[in-house]
Amino acid sequence: MSHETVYSIASGKGGVGKTTTTVNLGTALAQAGKRVAIVDVDLGMANLAGFVSLSPDSTTLHDVLAGNAAVEDATYRLAENIVAVPSGIGLDEYAETSPEGLREAVSDLRAAYDYVLLDVGAGISHETVLPLGLADAVLLVSTPEPAAVQDTQKTIELTARAGGDIAGLVLTRTLPGSDISHEDLASRLDVPLLASVPEDDAARESVYAGTPLVAYEPNGPAAAAYRRLAADLAGIELESPDDGANDTDGADDVDETAEDDNTAGDTDAETGRTDDSDNADSDDADSTAVSSAITEAESND
């Protein structure tokens, strides 16, 4: 098993699939029986809040960084073996946060989970650079387009300034038969190529289904690429799903898990916290919430 357990998932350019990579990598690790925490450290443009159908008074990472709550109070179960720590969406809450508190929060999560994935915001600011140095390693996410690759180079430079280490490059939305060599792109950036995730119609379909791709279409090419990435990072072998089966090994559709976490009096087995909000009256409502969150994440990512 790799000694690296905390990864920052970062990109210089928005819209390259960073949050999609975070969610699917985390789900694939959870399917393998690893305990995973996904943390939205994009404090100004939170994307993961919709995954847990937060009520206005729900505890988020903003509360933790403001010193008003412990990180376990802002942890919400998505499915078996996987939880999310969302940031808040209010500007007033954001103004009260101190990004420096992220160091302690990540340390607490590191002790409680096998893997912690930090979904880092795009751009250059203290709050986006800080996670690059807190993680054991940084996963760079980019498409093969020149502008995205150029911005990836900036992220590499920022990581070096933050004292962080680069794990490698994940190229998304790649096209089979393209003249672009993915290995050459990684070589130009002087980083290892960890994965090439091909363009896959099922990826967009999974968004509207409100389900991570690796659970929605586990036999598809993009899902297979995310599973291989998870296996390589964890140093384990993952079995390919049987044809026609949608066996998520406990990491079921997120629309089902939202019901688990937002039913009155339901106690989270992962965190021990009880969520007293009752915001999941139906699978359809949960799916809509998650679908909207993923769509927003992809557009703002």
Side-chain angles (χ1 to χ4, degrees):
M1 176 177 171
S2 171
H3 69 284
E4 296 169 341
T5 61
V6 178
Y7 289 94
S8 282
I9 318 296
S11 63
K13 186 178 184 299
V16 299
K18 173 175 54 62
T19 298
T20 298
T21 296
T22 304
V23 170
N24 281 285
L25 174 59
T27 302
L29 288 168
Q31 289 175 343
K34 303 300 181 182
R35 293 170 300 134
V36 182
I38 296 174
V39 188
D40 189 349
V41 296
D42 189 350
L43 302 180
M45 298 291 288
N47 290 325
L48 292 180
F51 277 78
V52 291
S53 302
L54 295 182
S55 61
D57 59 347
S58 295
T59 303
T60 70
L61 184 61
H62 282 177
D63 298 301
V64 177
L65 299 185
N68 298 323
V71 69
E72 56 265 26
D73 297 325
T75 302
Y76 299 81
R77 184 176 182 268
L78 295 180
E80 185 175 350
N81 295 329
I82 185 167
V83 301
V85 181
S87 282
I89 57 176
L91 292 179
D92 291 340
E93 297 171 331
Y94 169 67
E96 296 177 0
T97 62
S98 173
E100 291 299 331
L102 187 61
R103 191 178 304 276
E104 181 178 353
V106 170
S107 178
D108 291 344
L109 291 169
R110 181 195 294 272
Y113 296 93
D114 298 320
Y115 287 91
V116 180
L117 306 182
L118 308 178
D119 188 6
V120 183
I124 301 175
S125 68
H126 178 58
E127 66 192 44
T128 58
V129 175
L130 180 63
L132 302 178
L134 289 181
D136 295 328
V138 176
L139 296 182
L140 304 166
V141 180
S142 176
T143 61
E145 282 72 24
V149 175
Q150 183 177 359
D151 284 347
T152 299
Q153 180 61 57
K154 296 176 185 176
T155 303
I156 294 173
E157 295 170 5
L158 288 173
T159 300
R161 295 188 182 187
D165 296 316
I166 300 294
L169 175 67
V170 177
L171 282 177
T172 62
R173 300 171 188 165
T174 61
L175 298 175
S178 171
D179 293 336
I180 300 175
S181 168
H182 303 158
E183 290 288 354
D184 285 349
L185 287 179
S187 179
R188 289 179 207 170
L189 294 170
D190 196 25
V191 298
L193 178 64
L194 298 180
S196 292
V197 182
E199 187 72 63
D200 189 341
D201 291 341
R204 177 60 59 181
E205 295 170 6
S206 71
V207 170
Y208 291 105
T211 306
L213 178 62
V214 294
Y216 177 80
E217 186 57 67
N219 294 301
Y226 282 125
R227 285 200 310 275
R228 285 193 298 269
L229 174 61
D232 290 344
L233 292 180
I236 59 178
E237 292 186 7
L238 297 182
E239 294 183 3
S240 298
D242 294 333
D243 290 340
N246 193 18
D247 180 8
T248 60
D249 193 24
D252 297 326
D253 292 357
V254 181
D255 56 350
E256 295 179 7
T257 66
E259 182 179 1
D260 289 341
D261 225 25
N262 291 290
T263 301
D266 182 28
T267 301
D268 186 349
E270 292 284 352
T271 64
R273 64 184 296 276
T274 299
D275 190 346
D276 59 1
S277 62
D278 188 8
N279 297 324
D281 295 331
S282 69
D283 287 346
D284 289 342
D286 295 334
S287 179
T288 299
V290 175
S291 176
S292 298
I294 301 176
T295 302
E296 179 184 358
E298 289 190 335
S299 61
N300 294 326
D301 191 6

